[in-house]
């Protein structure tokens, strides 16, 4: 059975309560019967302007005007694309539709399993390097980190490790961990020579590279002295493709900030991160690639480039700015004065001075003109106006926006006193007919094609297990069941009168079976009250959020005095719970039909019949 994106989207919207979803990220307060308000997670504010509607299942911020449904919220808060946000929510509901499509043939299934093993191997290697840095043999590296003013806490937070000066320490560790020679070689962390395996990284400080979901996918190694090469990075593997990731992106996306700073190296990023500046990523190369630009675009922040000031760094900045602008961004450039890079600057002047420096970042156009002006300055202090004029003409010719062009033209006139606006405009028109400009246009078309090129098959997201927070059980309670407990707690005789109907309904709901059995024992003894329930909850695998909500509800003194009204409410909530269980079973069978490639047609027909039967029951109950 083939799925469609619309089917999945509808299932997700039907099964996700946006109030519960948003409450995991934002502290909400109920302002009316159906509306909740909180501090907006998408912009800085002091007075809550972020609203969530329980009836319409939408959110909207009256400050920054962001709004939408549950998928749009996850897209914005997790900085994902729309399809990835849909995957994220489908995973919560166990609608494993992307994983099913990846298993449609043997080759894709093998690729999926290979990726899964490589994630495990990379994670094992990260633990190995992390432990090595804390061993006596890594004293030299620990001293090096102290000279760079990086604390042990910072190194631990960002997973820094050490590759010791031995040939095959990692090889032996991975072999003991159950990884084959083929898997180790595929990871790029192990190489082979004369039929002997050896480690790629030796006597190097190790930086784990993570994807945007926080999974280790590769490593970078830095020497401690001036030997070459200074850095070695993992080669491309089944889970790592160069140019598709940004170092520390998984940390930066968690912080709501107006800007994102792009630096060149690991040490620049780590130095800023360790001092409390979290809005920084490193480009893991020279210029930003189009895929890295897409990642930055998802953050919806002001991009500030801060690459090295040498010739290679300036060339990379030019190309990065072009690619950022092609995707509709308005980047800025930060010049680090009185230091060669951000790492040296924060050591000299501190993080507060760096925060003030960020405010001085200049727009891309100003940076291009100022750079051209600086290049026209001669060694003897004189200024070669013709050199700047030629560079300015190239900059003006590349501008498409009429408003931007007019502003740039005025800036050039200020810097070049010998030419008026009309003369400069004529020179720009003439330059646009030259071979040099035609070559620039061809390179721009190439960049546009690269930007629009469809992405290759992505690493599967849904099968990567995300562990719940420590001491936070993951069991969730259906709201209808909470209402039933509240009714029974107020009037134990309800259970005595309707035991058969209640048992028949509740014993079929998997999520609450264990909890219901404990409550049932108290009801049969006619001793079921709020303290008893809270005691049962304290020893059950119920999430802290549910426990808190149930506790607040049961501490209220209100109750239903009318027995007829209690019976009607009980009947209504039993029906709600039946619908909940039917929907869960329908989703499971739907998942089986999409994922089970090995069942016979007869078995699939039986599943389809069950699906149709349960669907009819569901809609009958809903009516």
């Amino acid at each position: 059975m083939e799925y469609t994106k619309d089917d999945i989207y509808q299932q997700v919207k039907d099964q996700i309560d946006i109030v519960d979803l948003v409450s995991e990220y934002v502290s909400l307060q109920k302002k009316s019967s159906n509306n909740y308000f909180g501090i907006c997670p998408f912009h800085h504010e002091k007075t809550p302007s972020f609203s969530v509607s329980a009836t319409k299942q939408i959110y909207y911020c009256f400050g920054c005007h962001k709004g939408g449904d549950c998928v749009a919220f996850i897209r914005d808060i997790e900085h994902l694309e729309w399809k990835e946000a849909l995957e994220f929510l489908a995973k919560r509901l166990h609608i494993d539709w992307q994983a099913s499509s990846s298993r449609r043939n043997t080759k894709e299934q093998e690729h999926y399993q290979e990726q899964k093993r490589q994630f495990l191997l990379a994670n094992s290697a990260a633990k190995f390097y992390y432990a090595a840095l804390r061993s006596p043999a890594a004293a030299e590296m620990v001293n090096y980190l102290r000279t760079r003013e990086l604390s042990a806490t910072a190194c631990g937070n960002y997973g820094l490790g050490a590759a010791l000066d031995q040939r095959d320490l990692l090889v032996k560790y991975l072999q003991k961990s159950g990884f084959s020679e083929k898997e180790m070689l595929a990871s790029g962390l192990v190489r082979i020579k004369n039929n002997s395996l050896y480690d790629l990284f030796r006597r190097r400080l190790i930086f784990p590279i993570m994807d945007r979901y926080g999974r280790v996918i590769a490593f970078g190694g830095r020497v401690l002295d001036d030997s070459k090469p200074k850095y070695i990075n993992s080669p491309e593997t089944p889970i790592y493709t160069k140019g598709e990731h940004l170092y520390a992106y998984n940390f930066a996306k968690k912080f709501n900030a107006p800007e994102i700073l792009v630096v060149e190296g690991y040490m620049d990023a780590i130095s800023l991160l360790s001092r409390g500046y979290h809005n920084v990523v490193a480009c893991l190369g020279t210029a930003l690639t189009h895929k890295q630009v897409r990642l930055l675009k998802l953050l919806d922040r002001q991009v500030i480039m801060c690459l090295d000031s040498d010739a290679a760094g300036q060339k990379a900045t030019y190309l990065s700015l072009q690619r950022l602008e092609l995707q509709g961004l308005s980047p800025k450039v930060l010049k680090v004065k009185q230091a060669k890079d951000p790492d040296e600057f924060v050591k000299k002047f501190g993080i507060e001075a760096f925060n003030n420096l960020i405010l001085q970042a200049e727009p891309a156009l100003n940076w291009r003109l100022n750079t051209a002006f600086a290049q026209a300055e001669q060694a003897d202090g004189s200024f070669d106006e013709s050199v700047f004029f030629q560079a300015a003409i190239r900059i003006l010719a590349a501008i498409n926006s009429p408003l931007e062009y007019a502003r740039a033209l005025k800036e050039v006139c200020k810097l070049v006193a010998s030419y008026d606006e009309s003369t400069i405009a004529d020179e720009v028109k003439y330059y646009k007919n030259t071979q040099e400009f035609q070559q620039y246009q061809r390179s721009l078309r190439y960049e546009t094609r690269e930007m629009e090129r469809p992405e290759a098959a992505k690493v599967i997201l849904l099968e990567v297990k995300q562990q719940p927070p420590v001491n936070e059980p993951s069991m969730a309670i259906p709201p209808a069941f909470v209402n039933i407990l509240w009714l029974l707690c107020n009037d134990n005789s309800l259970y005595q009168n309707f035991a058969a109907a209640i048992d028949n309904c509740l014993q079929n709901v998997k999520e609450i079976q264990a909890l219901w059995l404990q409550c049932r024992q108290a009801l049969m003894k006619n001793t079921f009250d709020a303290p008893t329930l809270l005691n049962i909850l304290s020893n059950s695998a119920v999430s802290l959020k549910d426990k808190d909500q149930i506790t607040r509800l049961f501490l209220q003194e209100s109750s239903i005095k009318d027995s007829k009204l209690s019976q009607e409410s009980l009947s209504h909530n039993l029906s709600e719970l039946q619908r909940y269980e039917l929907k869960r079973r329908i989703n499971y069978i739907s998942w089986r039909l999409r994922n089970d490639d090995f069942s016979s047609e007869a078995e699939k027909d039986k599943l389809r019949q069950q699906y149709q039967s349960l669907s009819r029951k569901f809609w009958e109950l809903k009516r």
Side-chain angles (χ1 to χ4, degrees):
M1 177 179 176
E2 294 286 340
Y3 75 88
T4 66
K5 193 187 297 183
D6 290 340
D7 293 337
I8 301 298
Y9 178 49
Q10 194 59 48
Q11 285 189 56
V12 165
K13 288 210 302 179
D14 288 345
Q15 297 179 56
I16 290 283
D17 180 6
I18 196 167
V19 176
D20 290 339
L21 180 67
V22 173
S23 295
E24 295 178 14
Y25 298 87
V26 181
S27 178
L28 296 176
Q29 292 188 348
K30 199 170 186 178
K31 291 294 184 183
S32 64
S33 59
N34 295 311
N35 293 320
Y36 297 77
F37 272 81
I39 297 293
C40 179
F42 305 120
H43 78 286
H44 295 283
E45 64 177 8
K46 293 182 179 179
T47 305
S49 63
F50 182 81
S51 67
V52 182
S53 170
T55 52
K56 297 179 181 179
Q57 289 292 299
I58 59 172
Y59 72 95
Y60 182 76
C61 177
F62 293 93
C64 64
H65 306 295
K66 283 198 173 187
D69 58 10
C70 57
V71 180
F73 178 78
I74 289 297
R75 178 198 63 199
D76 292 339
I77 198 78
E78 293 288 346
H79 305 291
L80 303 172
E81 294 179 359
W82 190 89
K83 184 180 177 182
E84 292 172 329
L86 187 59
E87 284 183 41
F88 183 98
L89 291 175
K91 176 181 178 294
R92 287 170 60 111
L93 301 172
H94 306 290
I95 307 173
D96 221 348
W97 52 272
Q98 182 165 339
S100 70
S101 64
S102 68
R103 296 194 186 97
R104 293 193 185 280
N105 59 56
T106 305
K107 186 176 179 181
E108 288 175 338
Q109 186 177 359
E110 288 175 353
H111 179 62
Y112 165 76
Q113 292 298 335
E114 184 183 16
Q115 285 184 339
K116 196 172 181 181
R117 290 290 291 171
Q118 287 299 318
F119 277 122
L120 289 172
L121 190 151
N123 192 52
S124 296
K127 290 178 180 177
F128 171 80
Y129 290 133
Y130 182 87
L133 184 60
R134 284 137 190 88
S135 67
E140 182 186 8
M141 296 183 192
V142 172
N143 290 332
Y144 172 79
L145 290 170
R146 287 193 187 123
T147 62
R148 300 300 296 258
E149 299 180 17
L150 293 177
S151 67
T153 303
C155 294
N157 289 342
Y158 305 110
L160 269 64
L164 302 178
D165 194 13
Q166 294 188 41
R167 176 182 172 82
D168 56 357
L169 278 179
L170 180 64
V171 172
K172 291 175 181 176
Y173 176 81
L174 293 176
Q175 286 173 337
K176 287 181 182 178
S177 301
F179 294 100
S180 67
E181 179 180 315
K182 182 180 178 182
E183 289 170 337
M184 288 190 284
L185 291 172
S187 73
L189 301 176
V190 173
R191 294 186 173 179
I192 189 168
K193 185 176 182 180
N194 299 327
N195 293 324
S196 176
L197 298 175
Y198 64 94
D199 298 351
L200 170 66
F201 298 112
R202 281 174 287 174
R203 200 169 174 268
R204 287 179 181 269
L205 188 63
I206 299 296
F207 300 86
I209 300 169
M210 302 179 195
D211 64 9
R212 54 179 154 160
Y213 310 111
R215 301 174 297 187
V216 179
I217 53 174
F219 298 88
R222 187 192 193 283
V223 294
L224 306 183
D225 50 28
D226 296 328
S227 58
K228 302 294 182 181
K230 185 177 180 180
Y231 284 99
I232 292 179
N233 292 328
S234 294
E236 293 197 355
T237 69
I239 59 173
Y240 173 64
T241 304
K242 293 179 180 180
E244 291 189 1
H245 307 277
L246 290 163
Y247 181 73
Y249 184 91
N250 57 306
F251 299 112
K253 75 172 189 176
K254 295 177 183 177
F255 293 88
N256 187 13
E259 83 283 342
I260 183 71
L261 183 71
V262 181
V263 295
E264 193 165 314
Y266 306 107
M267 289 306 299
D268 290 328
I270 287 289
S271 180
L272 293 171
L273 286 166
S274 65
R275 289 169 172 83
Y277 185 83
H278 301 286
N279 320 318
V280 59
V281 295
C283 54
L284 296 171
T286 48
L288 289 171
T289 66
H290 289 291
K291 291 184 178 179
Q292 289 173 328
V293 171
R294 287 194 194 105
L295 288 178
L296 293 171
K297 192 174 181 180
L298 287 172
L299 293 177
D300 193 22
R301 302 180 194 174
Q302 173 65 62
V303 179
I304 300 177
M305 298 299 302
C306 185
L307 305 185
D308 290 351
S309 57
D310 57 12
Q314 288 205 349
K315 184 178 179 182
T317 301
Y318 268 108
L319 187 53
S320 298
L321 293 174
Q322 184 185 77
R323 289 171 176 171
L324 288 161
E325 289 167 338
L326 278 173
Q327 298 220 22
L329 300 174
S330 301
K332 291 184 177 182
V333 182
L334 178 66
K335 284 186 178 180
V336 179
K337 301 169 184 177
Q338 299 175 299
K340 64 178 182 180
D341 53 34
D343 179 33
E344 184 179 305
F345 185 92
V346 293
K347 283 179 187 173
K348 283 184 177 180
F349 306 107
I351 196 65
E352 286 301 320
F354 188 78
N355 283 324
N356 293 330
L357 186 66
I358 288 284
L359 301 176
Q360 300 174 27
E362 54 189 355
L365 175 61
N366 294 51
W367 178 82
R368 290 186 179 109
L369 290 173
N370 290 336
T371 301
F373 190 89
Q375 290 172 346
E377 292 178 337
Q378 305 300 304
D380 59 0
S382 61
F383 178 71
D384 192 335
E385 193 175 79
S386 62
V387 171
F388 171 74
F389 183 73
Q390 292 300 320
I393 293 299
R394 296 187 188 95
I395 293 168
L396 290 169
I399 299 173
N400 293 320
S401 166
L403 288 174
E404 186 85 354
Y405 176 81
R407 186 173 75 84
L409 191 58
K410 291 185 182 297
E411 289 292 328
V412 173
C413 284
K414 290 178 185 177
L415 296 170
V416 185
S418 305
Y419 302 92
D420 57 18
E421 287 189 20
S422 60
T423 304
I424 297 172
D426 290 340
E427 287 294 326
V428 171
K429 288 179 183 177
Y430 174 78
Y431 175 72
K432 286 186 174 181
N433 293 320
T434 63
Q435 288 292 326
E436 182 181 336
F437 185 74
Q438 298 303 319
Q439 178 61 36
Y440 165 77
Q441 291 285 78
R442 283 193 291 272
S443 69
L444 201 62
R445 286 193 291 271
Y446 170 79
E447 291 291 340
T448 305
R449 284 196 301 273
E450 286 294 304
M451 178 185 73
E452 296 171 350
R453 180 178 293 181
E455 294 188 38
K458 291 184 179 178
V459 172
I460 294 167
L461 167 65
L462 295 178
E463 288 295 301
V464 178
K465 302 297 182 185
Q466 293 186 353
Q467 297 296 332
V470 178
N471 299 325
E472 175 72 12
S474 56
M475 173 183 162
I477 297 182
F481 178 60
V482 177
N483 294 338
I484 291 168
L485 290 181
W486 187 82
L487 289 166
L488 295 175
C489 187
N490 278 279
D491 185 1
N492 281 198
S493 64
L494 275 175
Y495 180 73
Q496 316 301 332
N497 297 332
F498 302 98
I502 295 171
D503 285 339
N504 185 49
C505 177
L506 299 186
Q507 68 186 2
N508 293 323
V509 184
K510 184 178 179 181
E511 289 93 331
I512 60 174
Q513 282 176 353
L515 183 59
W516 169 241
L517 287 175
Q518 295 180 66
C519 295
R520 184 171 177 268
Q521 290 176 2
L523 283 163
M524 291 175 72
K525 297 175 184 177
N526 206 30
T527 59
F528 187 63
D529 55 14
T532 302
L533 175 63
L534 298 180
N535 185 49
I536 292 171
L537 286 172
S538 65
N539 298 312
S540 64
V542 178
S543 69
L544 290 176
K545 179 185 171 185
D546 280 339
K547 285 179 183 176
D548 184 56
Q549 289 180 344
I550 293 170
T551 301
R552 289 183 183 182
L553 175 65
F554 279 78
L555 289 176
Q556 294 176 3
E557 295 182 3
S558 58
S559 61
I560 300 177
K561 302 297 184 182
D562 189 338
S563 60
K564 185 178 179 182
L565 190 59
S566 293
Q567 292 173 17
E568 288 176 356
S569 183
L570 177 65
S571 175
H572 170 75
N573 281 287
L574 287 173
S575 297
E576 284 287 326
L577 203 57
Q578 283 180 297
R579 286 199 293 273
Y580 172 88
E581 177 60 16
L582 283 171
K583 186 178 264 190
R584 187 188 66 80
R585 291 169 64 189
I586 288 167
N587 287 337
Y588 173 71
I589 294 172
S590 176
W591 179 86
R592 284 277 307 277
L593 287 169
R594 291 194 305 273
N595 285 267
D596 197 345
D597 295 331
F598 305 103
S599 297
S600 64
E601 281 303 316
E603 291 171 326
K604 288 184 177 180
D605 285 338
K606 189 176 179 180
L607 283 172
R608 291 188 189 101
Q609 290 172 9
Q610 290 178 12
Y611 181 89
Q612 292 167 3
S613 174
L614 291 172
S615 295
R616 281 194 295 271
K617 287 181 182 178
F618 176 81
W619 290 111
E620 285 170 7
L621 276 172
K622 196 160 187 177
R623 281 195 293 270

